[in-house]
Amino acid sequence: MTDAPETPSDEALAARAAAGERAAFDNLIRRYKEPLYRFIRRYVGDADEAYDLLQESFISAWGALHRYDASRHFAPWLHRIALNKCRDFGRRQIVRRAVLRLLALGADDPTPSEAERAEEELEASARLARLDKAIASLPALYKEPLLLTTVEGLSQDETAAILKTTRKAVEMRLYRARRKLSEMLGEAEKGG
């Protein structure tokens, strides 16, 4: 009787892909294509846009493999790339809608309420960009549980299992991440 070959871990495949092995990256794509598509689809609400963003996510992941730390879980890293693509898409949509609304009204004489609404959308986009930047600047110790619970919707127990830590550690890291974000965003509001 022969043993079935062991399936390589995501991290092992990512390391092989970073070394230039395209087949290893193709295996990662097969593993994550469906769950990543579902995540993106729920985020953007449009199947065609989700498919495009899925492709962009994998292209970005391929290009960033040299920066991937194989001692960390691959799935959260890949989801962060997809999340960033979704957020970029959302910001572009807000700006696009605001510009189209102004153009439709006639750039010379928009009504005050339409102009105010477009300005509010641009301000919301700027706030989202500040939040993205603040989250990106968090140490991985805080960023990972925040993204897994808040963005992925995982429970603290599931997050603890993925991060190989305790539920209590996840709870404390979430508390500290939120406090740190609040401080950073408060300083950003004061400063500009």
Side-chain angles (χ1 to χ4, degrees):
M1 183 154 93
T2 61
D3 292 329
E6 189 175 314
T7 304
S9 70
D10 293 344
E11 294 74 22
L13 286 172
R16 287 173 29 202
E21 188 180 323
R22 180 59 196 230
F25 192 71
D26 290 344
N27 279 333
L28 289 169
I29 290 174
R30 280 191 288 282
R31 285 183 187 178
Y32 286 99
K33 181 179 179 181
E34 290 303 317
L36 207 57
Y37 174 78
R38 284 191 305 269
F39 168 73
I40 295 169
R41 173 75 170 83
R42 282 190 298 254
Y43 196 102
V44 300
D46 180 274
D48 292 332
E49 293 292 351
Y51 187 72
D52 289 345
L53 291 170
L54 176 69
Q55 289 179 333
E56 288 179 30
S57 297
F58 281 123
I59 290 168
S60 290
W62 174 253
L65 275 172
H66 66 282
R67 292 191 312 263
Y68 169 67
D69 177 3
S71 70
R72 315 227 28 99
H73 291 287
F74 180 78
W77 181 81
L78 182 61
H79 275 83
R80 276 193 301 274
I81 290 172
L83 176 63
N84 288 336
K85 295 295 177 188
C86 290
R87 288 178 172 167
D88 290 345
F89 171 79
R91 283 190 292 271
R92 287 191 306 267
Q93 291 301 97
I94 289 170
V95 171
R96 202 173 285 138
R97 280 193 302 269
V99 169
L100 290 175
R101 191 173 289 130
L102 286 174
L103 290 175
L105 293 170
D108 295 336
D109 193 22
T111 63
S113 62
E114 289 294 324
E116 288 170 6
R117 199 169 342 167
E119 186 175 323
E120 287 171 7
E121 288 179 4
L122 290 172
E123 286 174 13
S125 178
R127 282 193 303 273
L128 183 58
R130 283 193 303 274
L131 177 61
D132 285 346
K133 186 176 180 181
I135 290 172
S137 70
L138 286 174
L141 185 69
Y142 301 148
K143 185 180 348 186
E144 290 173 358
L146 182 70
L147 290 173
L148 289 170
T149 57
T150 306
V151 176
E152 286 296 302
L154 298 178
S155 70
Q156 289 184 4
D157 290 329
E158 292 168 321
T159 300
I162 289 171
L163 298 177
K164 296 181 181 172
T165 189
T166 66
R167 183 183 196 287
K168 189 68 178 168
V170 167
E171 194 175 305
M172 181 56 68
R173 290 173 189 174
L174 286 170
Y175 168 78
R176 289 180 179 158
R178 290 179 180 130
R179 188 179 70 199
K180 185 91 171 137
L181 284 175
S182 178
E183 290 169 5
M184 286 189 288
L185 294 172
E187 289 172 13
E189 292 296 321
K190 290 176 190 172

